[in-house]
Amino acid sequence: MELAYYSDYAVRLVNTEEPERGGDSLTSVEAVRALFGPAQQIARRATESDVTRLRAVRGRLRTVFEAAADGDEVRAVDLLNALMMEFPVSPQISGHEHRDGGGTSRSSRAESGGGRPDWHMHIADHAANATAGYTATACMGLAFHLTELGVDRLGVCEARPCRNVYVDTSTNRSRRYCSDRCATRANVAAYRARKRLESERAARSGRTADSAQDATASGER
């Protein structure tokens, strides 16, 4: 699994909170475990303390996205570096599948006829607690995206009141919203705003024309 994949851990954690709506889904041990997904052993070690710990990390990760969205690259990098210093990772090489002689990936050595393993980088599960493991993974994923694709790939949804964060993987760096739903809502709101403006301008033009006609009529009298 590519380490850049782990940036989704950061997105999932930050988006458990809706700051402008007052919403928060990170309220239980079950919610903490759900963040990891079904295949993470360290998730089973989560406790009530991890709810509080991860909420604190969540706020710090949001500031990374906000700094990036504001164009403050140095601050975004400094904030992320501080988290990585506090929550270091232990990378290791792992191979869960195998390849045959032609390079085709196989799920087991038996299927591949004893082919070589399909090696890839993986983050070792040696963290002291669930929060440390999750945070280290999320930060490493963000770091790979940031260094490989650029700080401007980290964004905050522009559709108010949504403030969800996202990682922009588009080819033209054009993403502005966290989801298609928010993009549609923003486009509809912009369309309605334009229509209101056009109506107000038309109304003002009509009043101006009426006033001019009244002034002309008064002068003729």
Side-chain angles (χ1 to χ4, degrees), residues 159-180:
R160 297 285 184 170
C162 180
R163 297 295 291 165
N164 278 354
V165 302
Y166 59 85
V167 175
D168 184 3
T169 57
S170 64
T171 56
N172 58 356
R173 301 172 182 262
S174 61
R175 187 170 178 180
R176 298 168 55 200
Y177 307 103
C178 68
S179 64
D180 290 340

Side-chain angles (χ1 to χ4, degrees), residues 175-213:
R175 187 170 178 180
R176 298 168 55 200
Y177 307 103
C178 68
S179 64
D180 290 340
R181 179 181 179 183
C182 276
T184 299
R185 188 169 69 243
N187 289 334
V188 170
Y191 172 80
R192 289 174 177 171
R194 287 196 301 271
K195 286 300 182 181
R196 284 196 300 271
L197 183 59
E198 291 172 2
S199 296
E200 291 170 359
R201 287 175 176 171
R204 286 197 297 270
S205 297
R207 289 194 294 271
T208 300
D210 290 343
S211 297
Q213 290 177 355

Side-chain angles (χ1 to χ4, degrees), residues 79-97:
L79 291 168
L80 186 55
N81 274 336
L83 277 165
M84 289 194 293
M85 288 286 288
E86 188 174 339
F87 299 96
V89 299
S90 299
Q92 66 180 23
I93 299 173
S94 179
H96 299 307
E97 295 182 339

Side-chain angles (χ1 to χ4, degrees), residues 63-81:
T63 62
V64 174
F65 281 91
E66 290 175 342
D70 290 340
D72 193 343
E73 296 190 10
V74 174
R75 175 170 167 76
V77 169
D78 286 346
L79 291 168
L80 186 55
N81 274 336

